Each structure stands twice: as C-alpha cells, then as structure tokens.
C-alpha cells in the first residue's frame, strides 16, 4: 500500500487540518507517513495545500507530482491541480462552491456538497470533515474509528462540542457516497 | 514523551534541542525556518532559566549565542541561507574561541535573496568553514524527521566534546514536512566547568579569545585546531548504505536528495537495475574512506544534489582514480522527482553497464 | 613616623604595563573601572566584553573574566552572558567605531531591550588602532587619514551623538557623558562608572557612560594639547553631563522602566 493525496483550497477551509489529521491517523494505524504543507509566499495569497504520503514502507519523497487522490475545496484549486492527478485517480470536489467540473475522462470525480451538509448539521466549519468522510469512504486509507481518535487527539479534550459535530459530519460524508 | 508524535522538522529541532538541555535561543525570522523560531519563543521559556531572544539581526543572534554559550549554557541559533551568510563572522569566532554551539541552516534557493524553496546550495559554505580563517564546522545532514530529532541532540554532544560549533544542515522541505518521530532520551551532559565563563569568584580570572597577535602563537593555535579536526575526521564520520551490496551504480546524495534517490531506486530495482545509495550523514567530516571502499565493487557513482554540484568535490576526492563519477543536479530551489532521477540513471546505467562493459 | 600608603594599584588591575600610547585615555578608564570593581567588591562576579580596537587587549589589564567579541558585537555577547547569568555584573567596553558605526545595531537594540548591562563607551573621535581614520564621532572639520580635508557635513555627515540618541530609548535608565582630560573630569567619570555598575546591581536596566578620551598619537598633538582639545573642541560637539537618569522611585512606578 502506498498512496499520495493532495488537499487544496483556500485558507480557513481547514485544508491543512484535513491533511494533518489524515497523516496523524495513518501514523496511528502504523503506516509510514509524511505531511508537506505549502509554505511561505504562496500562503499569503490565501490558498493552501498539502501533500500526504502514506505507505507501508519508508517514504522517499514527500512531494507528489502525480497524486492518487485529490481533494479540491475551491475553484482555483481545481484548475491548479486537476491535471496532476494520476490517470484513474480519484477527485473529491467541494460541490457547494465549485460549479465547474474537470474535463478529464480518465478519473473518477466525486462531487460532495460538503458545505450544505455541514450547514444542515449546524456548523459550516465542519465542511472539511464531511469531505473527509466521503474521502475515507472511497479511499479506505484509515478506518473511521482511527480517524476519529486522531481528530480527538489533535483537537484536545476541551472541544467536546466540536467533536460531536465532527463525528456527525464524518458519518454524513461517509454515508453520502455509500448510498449514492 | 516516548510515544510517536507527528511534528514538522522545524518543531522537531526545537523540541529536541530543549530536551537536550538547550536553554538559550536567539534568532531572526526568515522563511523557511520561522516555525523553529516560533517554537522556541513558546517552549524554551517554559524551562527554568530558558531564554528566547528575537534578535535585531542574524549577526546579533550568533553573537548572543557566543555570549550565552561562553557561560556554559547550551545555546543555539537558526536561520536559512541568506541569514547563515550573516552568521559566518560569529561562527568563525566560535571556532576560534572553541565555544560549543548549534547553528541550524534550513537551506533555501540562492544565491542572493533567491527563493524560499528547498535547496542544497550551501554545502560549500557549510563544509568549508564558511567564515574567515582556517577552521571547520561539524555538519550534520538529516534526511528524515526522526534524524532531525536524533542529530539535533547529537549535535550538542559533539559541540561539547570538541568545543566547536556544529551545524545542522537541512532544507526547506525537511523543515516544513511532518513525519512521525520518537524523541530519544538525551545523554547526560559532560562539559567541564573550566571552560565556562562565570566570573572569577575569589580565584584567577579567565579570558576567552581568538586574538593572538603573535603569529607563532596564532600558528600554534591553528595547529591545535587542526589536530582536533583530524580527530573529528577519524572518529565522527557517519553514513548510510542503501542497497549498495550488489550495486552496479551507486547514487551519492544527502538530505532531501537522498530521499528522492531512494524513490528512484525503488523504481529501478524492479526493472532489474542494481542501483544503491550512499548517503553521507556527516558532510564534514565527509565519509571519504567509507565511500572509497565501495569502489572495490561498484565502478560508477552518480553524485546527485539540489545544487550545481558542490558535494561532488568531496565525492571526487574520495573516488577519483577509483571509479567513474557522474553528476545530476537541479539548483535554484527545485526538488527533482524520483521519476526524473530514475530516467537519468536508466540512461547512464546502460551506458556504463551495457553488454560490452559487462563482458 | 611610619609612612602611610595613600595611592596604589587597584586590586582588580593586573600588574602589567599598558601597551597604550603615552597620553592615551584608555589607561585612565581601565584604572577607573578597576577602582570601581574594588569599591563595589564585584571583581569575582564581573564579566567583561572588550571591543575590537585599541582596547582589544583589555583582558591583559582588567583582572576579571572576559570574552572577546567581534567588532561591534559586544552588547550582543553581553546580552547572551547576562541573560544566562543575571546575577553577574556584565559590561561591554567599546570604542566609537565599535559602538557607533559597525555595532550601532547591536548597541541600539541592547539599549532598547533595556538589557541590564553597563556599556562603557570610549569616544576619541578617531579609529585609533587602525591608524587614525575617521570615526562616526570625528568632529566637524577634523582631519583624519580618511577625511584629509576635514570632516564635512556634505561628504561625511555629522558626528553621531550617542548619548543624545540613546537617551530617547525607553529601555535606558542612566546615560552620562564624561571625559578623562582633567582631574575633575576624571573624578566625575569614576562616579559615573560607579553609578552605572550600581544601577546594574540594582537591576535597573541599560546604562551607558561615554568617556571623551584623548588620542594624542592620532590627533598628532602632545598629551597636554590633546586634553585641551577635548575641552575646546570635542565638548562643543559632545557636551558633558547627565543626559538621562531616571530616579528609582519613578522607575518603580513604571515610567520608562526596565522591569527585570
């Protein structure tokens, strides 16, 4: 097992959090993992992305020129990264704010209305976790249980309310693709 | 905390340094090492007597470190390439005055202001002393986050043992990326009081200096340093061998480029190409003999760097006359992909190991 | 009647002949410092940072722990020492090039941070050790080996008034300009040095004593003429006196205070 994922969007969407929590749960599962965020000047423009590598053996390069999975949370990210995705790769797209769709035919695209779903749960900020639910449903990189435990570790015990919302959001995203 | 945690390289250096007993940090923000500066501002002050200073310049930072380290405290500063250029004056003084300290360079693209992408363009500066005068600096080059933790702790021990500045040389990618890490237990510190400047008390006063106006005295001081450097060269080289046992081609790479090299090897091996990696962990002292020994079996070596070719000078010193040496590098902040490197090796592999050569 | 000893070498001054030129002010300043160490009984806890310049060998004379600093970096080195050893008395001894040219940033920011150190600043209006080149404190019209026509405001700018400048920094507590050209001025300098060190012992923050000091060799004067030149010319550019002295009661209330 060896995979690379790019999460992308703009600052405030919790893009780095998605990557960090995935890497954390991969570590808890016992995999090798690397997390590489965008940094410096490119952060100042408000866009954010990170690359997560997960593998059973030592990871050579944490960079990915051809990711297996791509999560795009806003339209500029779709255009920036769609052609990087490997042929046959999976794209997860934030359908709540992205109207465009990739022109490529050789990839699988999952349009996830993660914004609306999160709003339905009472907290738009959980949109990224809804997306993670959908992402984990299709990629099965880590189990939902492991992921939730990582999320809890990262957020600390104080944010119990947020954790409740996150648990619901994760399940909602997971169920969405299961039933479609 | 002995469990595995997920941290960025910059944070890991800070945490490892504090665990190793570092109680003084001075630095000036510069990308891509700001997170180390920030980590220290928060966590070193949680330690008793721990001091963090955001200095007015890189020059001030390294001189504050000189002052703090002269009292016997473990002290460090960090920066990225342009800032390290400014610190060279202080590093030269630390070497001359035989004061232990850690200097971290999270390299970025250069020359000049360059960019903030990962680069390995400071190899010459790091391994040749960097500042003025006849001196060397121990240079450690981690390639994983785990090694960043381990080598940061080791750096303080080496600095103490040889009373010399030690540089941890990584790049923007190593500084920014996160990997799981387990912090080892630091060794108890062993640094004699006699080298600490703490006031004369009731006894004789001491002074620490690098100024020796009498040229014969200065010469003797230089020979003394040289003897120390010779011992370091004998005892402290470190390297990693990766699939070199049967290799027809051995890549020589350090830090991030060594990771890329491993990625390339993993692509080439299943295609039947016997390629290995020799990774220097100490860049000075360079593992010269260890590399030369490989030439008994392997006849083609490819030096691979994220620069125009700097370590290749050391590779040549080790291998010239023993094996053929090739070079591939990308300067300016470009991190080549494993696929790119694999393609390069593939071409050279059959050139050097074609049927006629295999005979 | 037994003879009574009324003048002797301070205990903190090493028994070594000064290498300074005849009439140089460094020897006087060194002696005053050592007298102050003796009187405050701080020889054992004092740590000094000499400059690059004529006083680079100060550790041959001052019998206290010392560490060499790169040119101008004294206040940075002193900062590192003092932060690790807050109960020691830490001072830098700097010349005009060291403090006001190459090391202005380190000095300025140590002052601005209110580092609890003492800075003794020897101003002799030239670069002494390198042979009499222009200093940031070279006076208007003064001829040096690099201002052969005399310092002009058009080409070289005005002399840097360190005390006036640093007085504006809120991290500073006590700043005085003295001179060692007359017996009366020497006594005042001694008092200023004592005060600076006492303020540090009392943890009151950054203090600076500027000492106008004769350099007969590079001024190409006799020692007597040099002392007179300080009174006639230098003090016009660099007026003597206390530039800043925050009373301790006021400092306690938090006005311009350095909180240790």
């Amino acid at each position: 097992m060896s995979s690379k994922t790019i999460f992308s969007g703009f600052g405030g969407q919790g893009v780095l959090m998605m990557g960090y929590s995935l890497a954390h749960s991969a570590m808890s599962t016992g995999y090798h993992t690397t997390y590489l965020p965008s940094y410096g000047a490119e952060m100042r423009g408000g866009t954010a992305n990170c690359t997560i590598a997960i593998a059973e053996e030592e990871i050579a390069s944490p960079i990915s020129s051809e990711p297996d999975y791509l999560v795009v949370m806003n339209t500029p990210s779709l255009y920036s990264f769609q052609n990087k995705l490997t042929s046959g790769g999976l794209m997860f797209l934030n359908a709540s704010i992205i109207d465009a769709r990739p022109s490529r035919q050789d990839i699988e695209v999952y349009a996830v209305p993660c914004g609306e779903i999160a709003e339905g749960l009472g907290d738009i900020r959980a949109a990224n976790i809804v997306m993670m639910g959908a992402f984990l449903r299709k990629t099965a990189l880590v189990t939902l249980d492991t992921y939730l435990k990582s999320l809890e570790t990262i957020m600390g015990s104080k944010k119990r309310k947020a954790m409740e919302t996150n648990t619901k959001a994760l399940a909602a995203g997971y169920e969405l693709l299961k039933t479609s | 905390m002995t469990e595995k945690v997920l941290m960025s390289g910059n944070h890991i250096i800070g945490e490892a340094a504090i665990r190793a007993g570092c109680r003084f940090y001075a630095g000036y923000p510069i990308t891509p090492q700001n997170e180390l500066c920030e980590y220290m501002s928060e966590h070193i002050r949680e330690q008793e007597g721990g001091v963090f200073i955001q200095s007015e310049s890189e020059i001030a930072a390294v001189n504050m470190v000189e002052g703090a380290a002269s009292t016997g405290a473990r002290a460090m500063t960090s920066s990225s390439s342009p800032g390290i250029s400014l610190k060279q004056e202080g590093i030269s003084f630390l070497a001359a005055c035989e004061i232990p300290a850690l200097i971290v360079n999270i390299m970025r693209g250069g020359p000049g202001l360059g960019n903030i992408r990962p680069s390995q363009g400071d190899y010459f500066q790091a391994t040749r002393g960097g500042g003025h005068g006849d001196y060397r600096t121990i240079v450690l080059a981690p390639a994983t986050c785990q090694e960043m933790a381990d080598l940061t702790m080791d750096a303080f021990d080496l600095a103490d043992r040889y009373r010399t500045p030690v540089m941890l040389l990584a790049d923007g990618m190593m500084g920014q990326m996160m990997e799981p890490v387990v912090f080892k237990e630091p060794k108890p510190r062993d640094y004699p009081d006699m080298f600490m400047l703490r006031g004369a008390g009731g006894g004789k006063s001491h002074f620490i200096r690098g100024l020796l106006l009498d040229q014969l005295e200065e010469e003797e001081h230089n020979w003394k340093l040289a003897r120390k450097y010779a011992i370091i060269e004998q005892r402290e080289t470190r390297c990693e061998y990766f699939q070199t046992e049967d290799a027809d081609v051995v890549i020589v790479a350090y830090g991030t480029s060594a990771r890329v090299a491993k990625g390339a090897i993993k692509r080439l091996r299943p295609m039947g190409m016997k390629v290995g990696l020799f990774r220097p962990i100490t860049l000075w002292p360079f593992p010269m003999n260890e590399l030369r020994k490989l030439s008994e079996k392997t006849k083609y070596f490819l030096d691979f760097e994220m620069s125009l070719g700097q370590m290749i000078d050391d590779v040549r010193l080790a291998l010239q006359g023993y094996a053929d040496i090739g070079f591939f590098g990308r300067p300016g902040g470009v991190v080549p992909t494993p696929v790119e490197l694999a393609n390069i090796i593939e071409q050279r592999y059959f050139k050097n190991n074609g049927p006629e050569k295999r005979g | 009647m037994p003879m009574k000893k009324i003048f002797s070498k301070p205990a903190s001054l090493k028994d070594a002949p000064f290498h300074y030129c005849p009439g140089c002010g460094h020897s006087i300043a060194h002696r005053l410092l050592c007298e102050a160490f003796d009187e405050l009984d701080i020889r054992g806890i004092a740590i000094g940072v000499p400059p690059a310049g004529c006083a680079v060998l100060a550790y041959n004379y001052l019998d206290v722990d010392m560490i060499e600093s790169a040119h101008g970096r004294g206040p940075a080195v002193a900062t590192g020492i003092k932060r690790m050893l807050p109960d020691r008395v830490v001072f830098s001894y700097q010349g005009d090039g060291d403090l006001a040219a190459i090391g202005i940033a380190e000095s300025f920011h140590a002052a601005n941070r209110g580092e609890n150190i003492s800075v003794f600043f020897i101003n002799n209006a030239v670069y002494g050790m390198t042979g009499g080149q222009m200093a940031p404190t070279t006076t208007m019209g003064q001829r040096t080996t690099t201002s052969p026509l005399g310092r002009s405001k058009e080409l070289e700018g005005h002399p840097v008034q360190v005390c006036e400048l640093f007085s504006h920094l809120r991290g500073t507590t006590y700043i005085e300009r003295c001179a060692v050209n007359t017996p009366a001025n020497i006594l005042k300098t001694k008092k200023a040095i004592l005060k600076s060190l006492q303020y540090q012992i009392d943890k009151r923050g950054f203090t600076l004593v500027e000492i106008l000091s004769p350099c007969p060799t590079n001024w190409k004067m006799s020692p007597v003429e040099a002392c007179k030149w300080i009174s006639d010319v230098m003090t016009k550019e660099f007026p003597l006196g206390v530039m800043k002295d925050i009373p301790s009661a006021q400092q306690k209330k938090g006005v311009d205070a350095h909180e240790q």
Side-chain angles (χ1 to χ4, degrees):
Chain A
M1 203 285 287
S2 166
S3 77
K4 285 188 180 173
T5 308
I6 291 180
F7 293 91
S8 58
F10 48 63
Q13 284 185 308
V15 169
L16 299 184
M17 177 64 178
M18 293 164 92
Y20 179 68
S21 55
L22 176 64
H24 193 281
S25 50
M27 173 179 78
S28 303
T29 309
Y31 291 133
H32 288 269
T33 185
T34 61
Y35 161 96
L36 183 68
S38 53
Y39 65 89
E42 64 190 17
M43 274 158 57
R44 317 286 180 249
T47 65
N49 72 75
C50 60
T51 305
I52 314 306
I54 299 175
E56 275 163 342
E57 53 180 24
E58 194 182 351
I59 293 160
S61 173
I63 297 177
S64 180
S65 43
E66 217 183 314
D68 306 287
Y69 309 118
L70 176 62
V71 177
V72 289
M73 293 296 281
N74 67 355
T75 309
S77 300
L78 172 65
Y79 294 127
S80 296
F81 292 104
Q82 62 174 347
N83 290 336
K84 281 190 135 191
L85 188 61
T86 194
S87 190
L90 312 189
M91 178 190 286
F92 299 83
L93 176 150
N94 177 1
S96 300
I97 60 167
I98 306 175
D99 296 326
R101 293 293 178 270
S103 47
R104 287 176 65 177
Q105 302 298 315
D106 62 335
I107 56 173
E108 282 180 60
V109 180
Y110 299 100
V112 181
C114 53
E116 282 92 343
I117 295 174
E119 268 180 323
L121 294 169
D123 194 347
I124 179 72
R125 287 175 301 176
N128 61 336
I129 304 298
V130 174
M131 184 58 102
M132 283 308 295
F135 176 82
L136 291 176
R137 167 73 185 95
K138 288 294 170 190
T139 62
L141 287 172
V142 296
T143 66
L144 286 192
D145 269 359
T146 311
Y147 182 76
L148 277 172
K149 270 188 201 126
S150 281
L151 214 49
E152 210 164 355
T153 310
I154 295 163
M155 297 182 65
S157 54
K158 286 173 193 165
K159 300 194 173 168
R160 197 153 297 282
K161 182 79 179 66
M163 205 49 220
E164 278 169 30
T165 312
N166 282 336
T167 308
K168 283 183 207 154
L170 192 71
Y174 193 83
E175 292 303 320
L176 180 84
L177 291 192
K178 198 177 182 180
T179 52
S180 65
Chain B
M1 181 159 58
T2 50
E3 85 270 28
K4 212 179 255 189
V5 288
L6 186 63
M7 286 174 82
S8 76
N10 282 329
H11 285 180
I12 288 168
I13 294 171
E15 179 61 30
I18 292 171
R19 283 165 184 259
C22 176
R23 291 296 174 268
F24 185 92
Y25 174 96
Y28 186 92
I30 178 172
T31 307
Q33 63 83 55
N34 297 312
E35 296 79 8
L36 173 51
C37 210
E38 290 163 357
Y39 192 89
M40 290 313 239
S41 74
E42 187 179 347
H43 295 290
I44 203 168
R45 286 168 171 162
E46 294 165 357
Q47 309 297 319
E48 197 187 333
V51 173
F52 166 87
I53 300 180
Q54 181 170 328
S55 58
E56 58 272 24
S57 70
E58 306 293 2
I59 299 173
V62 71
N63 284 284
M64 289 174 185
V65 165
E66 180 188 328
S70 73
T71 70
R74 279 194 159 169
M76 70 176 286
T77 182
S78 67
S79 190
S80 179
S81 309
I84 295 293
S85 293
L86 288 172
K87 288 190 198 295
Q88 294 303 332
E89 172 194 71
I91 298 173
S92 173
F93 273 67
L94 288 167
C97 295
E98 299 190 85
I99 298 173
L102 172 64
I103 299 107
V104 176
N105 182 1
I106 304 295
M107 289 183 281
R108 55 187 253 179
L113 208 47
N115 60 27
I116 57 170
R117 313 311 313 175
S119 163
Q120 298 183 325
D122 303 349
Y123 182 94
F124 280 152
Q125 188 193 50
T127 58
R128 268 60 182 165
H132 60 284
D134 262 330
Y135 75 95
R136 296 287 189 161
T137 307
I138 297 176
V139 184
L140 306 175
T144 64
C145 284
Q146 183 61 52
E147 242 180 17
M148 285 182 112
D150 297 344
L151 293 181
T152 298
M153 290 185 178
D154 295 352
F156 282 108
D157 295 337
L158 287 167
D160 281 352
R161 189 175 312 144
Y162 297 104
R163 291 199 293 129
T164 195
V166 175
M167 180 175 283
L168 191 76
L169 189 72
D171 61 56
M173 199 174 85
M174 295 295 312
Q176 296 292 325
M177 72 181 279
M178 290 190 186
E179 271 183 313
V181 62
V182 178
F183 290 99
K184 66 178 177 182
E185 206 48 49
K187 290 189 193 119
R189 194 176 184 207
D190 177 23
Y191 190 69
D193 289 352
M194 62 180 286
F195 299 123
M196 302 178 184
L197 202 67
R198 303 182 73 88
K204 199 172 170 297
S205 63
H206 312 272
F207 51 84
I208 297 175
R209 63 166 175 174
L211 179 85
L212 296 159
L213 291 172
D214 181 311
Q215 68 271 31
L216 293 179
E217 220 183 321
E218 180 66 59
E219 184 189 31
E220 181 41 41
H221 182 57
N222 270 270
W223 285 124
K224 182 186 154 204
L225 293 178
R227 287 190 290 273
K228 177 167 84 177
Y229 298 148
I231 292 170
I232 296 172
E233 281 181 315
Q234 271 170 28
R235 292 186 189 163
E236 303 297 348
T237 54
R238 298 189 200 186
C239 58
E240 182 199 349
Y241 304 91
F242 180 75
Q243 302 189 3
T244 52
E245 301 80 11
D246 63 342
D248 297 320
V249 171
V250 166
I251 307 168
V252 186
Y254 69 96
T256 290
S257 50
R259 295 182 73 111
V260 174
K262 280 188 184 175
I265 291 166
K266 280 176 194 162
R267 279 169 173 76
L268 294 166
R269 281 269 168 182
M271 292 157 71
M273 280 173 267
K274 293 176 183 163
V275 182
L277 167 72
F278 178 79
R279 178 171 72 90
I281 297 170
T282 51
L283 300 183
W284 191 87
F286 188 82
M288 208 62 81
N289 296 330
E290 292 87 336
L291 179 56
R292 187 171 296 152
K293 187 110 178 78
L294 285 184
S295 69
E296 289 171 9
K297 280 192 266 176
T298 305
K299 291 301 165 197
Y300 184 74
F301 291 80
L302 182 81
D303 176 73
F304 168 52
E305 301 177 57
M306 281 146 54
S307 77
L308 286 173
Q310 301 192 7
M311 182 174 70
I312 192 164
D313 281 16
D314 286 329
V315 172
R316 286 198 184 111
L317 284 171
L319 295 174
Q320 198 82 284
Y322 295 88
D324 289 334
I325 306 157
F327 171 74
F328 176 63
R330 298 280 307 265
V334 175
V335 182
T337 63
V339 175
E340 186 180 357
L341 179 63
N343 288 340
I344 298 285
I345 294 167
E346 197 174 349
Q347 292 162 15
R348 306 200 185 174
Y349 190 87
F350 290 112
K351 195 175 152 212
N352 288 280
N353 298 284
E356 72 281 2
K357 284 216 174 180
R358 281 180 181 172
Chain C
M1 194 174 109
M3 296 230 280
K4 190 181 162 201
K5 195 171 181 183
I6 57 163
F7 188 81
S8 65
K9 182 184 76 60
S12 299
L13 189 64
K14 287 182 185 173
D15 193 8
F18 284 124
H19 73 284
Y20 299 114
C21 306
C24 172
H26 275 304
S27 341
I28 303 170
H30 282 15
R31 183 189 164 91
L32 295 179
L33 267 175
C34 292
E35 287 179 3
F37 297 150
D38 288 357
E39 283 171 36
L40 296 169
D41 193 20
I42 54 170
R43 176 195 165 266
I45 58 165
I47 302 177
V49 186
C54 287
V56 68
L57 297 173
Y59 44 70
N60 286 343
Y61 313 117
L62 309 189
D63 191 19
V64 298
D65 275 10
M66 297 196 95
I67 176 170
E68 170 185 288
S69 137
H71 195 22
R73 319 299 174 213
V77 175
T79 295
I81 297 170
K82 185 70 183 187
R83 292 288 189 109
M84 295 323 290
L85 301 173
D87 59 345
R88 303 301 197 276
V89 175
V90 180
F91 67 94
S92 73
Y93 185 103
Q94 301 176 257
D96 36 46
D98 194 87
L99 190 149
I102 197 166
I104 188 77
E106 286 78 7
S107 303
F108 181 97
H109 286 279
N112 193 54
R113 285 191 303 270
E115 294 294 342
N116 190 26
I117 57 173
S118 302
V119 171
F120 301 114
F121 166 39
I122 306 294
N123 177 0
N124 61 11
V126 284
Y127 281 26
M129 181 137 116
T130 46
Q133 294 84 3
M134 188 183 71
T137 53
T138 290
T139 57
M140 292 311 280
Q142 186 184 343
R143 289 165 193 262
T144 70
T145 58
T146 51
S147 57
L149 303 177
R151 182 177 193 146
S152 72
K153 73 173 193 293
E154 289 78 14
L155 294 179
E156 288 89 11
H158 292 278
V160 177
Q161 295 174 305
V162 169
C163 286
E164 287 78 353
L165 200 61
F166 278 41
S167 296
H168 290 288
L169 299 176
R170 283 177 283 178
T172 60
T173 311
Y174 164 61
I175 293 179
E176 180 167 356
R177 184 181 288 122
C178 310
V180 287
N181 64 329
T182 68
N185 282 341
I186 289 172
L187 288 176
K188 277 188 194 164
T189 305
K190 166 86 174 290
K191 276 189 186 147
I193 290 171
L194 279 166
K195 191 164 172 178
S196 164
L197 293 169
Q198 186 61 54
Y199 273 37
Q200 184 181 162
I201 292 165
D202 298 340
K203 300 191 188 310
R204 297 195 52 201
F206 188 93
T207 59
L208 183 148
V209 178
E210 175 172 342
I211 301 168
L212 304 186
S213 173
C215 182
T217 301
N218 286 303
W219 294 353
K220 299 181 174 41
M221 296 176 193
S222 72
V224 175
E225 288 167 343
C227 287
K228 188 166 182 304
W229 192 77
I230 288 179
S231 299
D232 295 349
V233 179
M234 267 191 100
T235 53
K236 303 294 180 291
E237 295 272 13
F238 306 107
L240 300 184
V242 177
M243 302 289 150
K244 184 174 188 179
D245 186 5
I246 299 173
S248 114
Q250 192 185 340
Q251 190 174 16
K252 276 186 192 131
K253 276 190 237 154
V255 184
D256 271 12
H258 169 72
E259 285 164 3
Q260 190 65 29

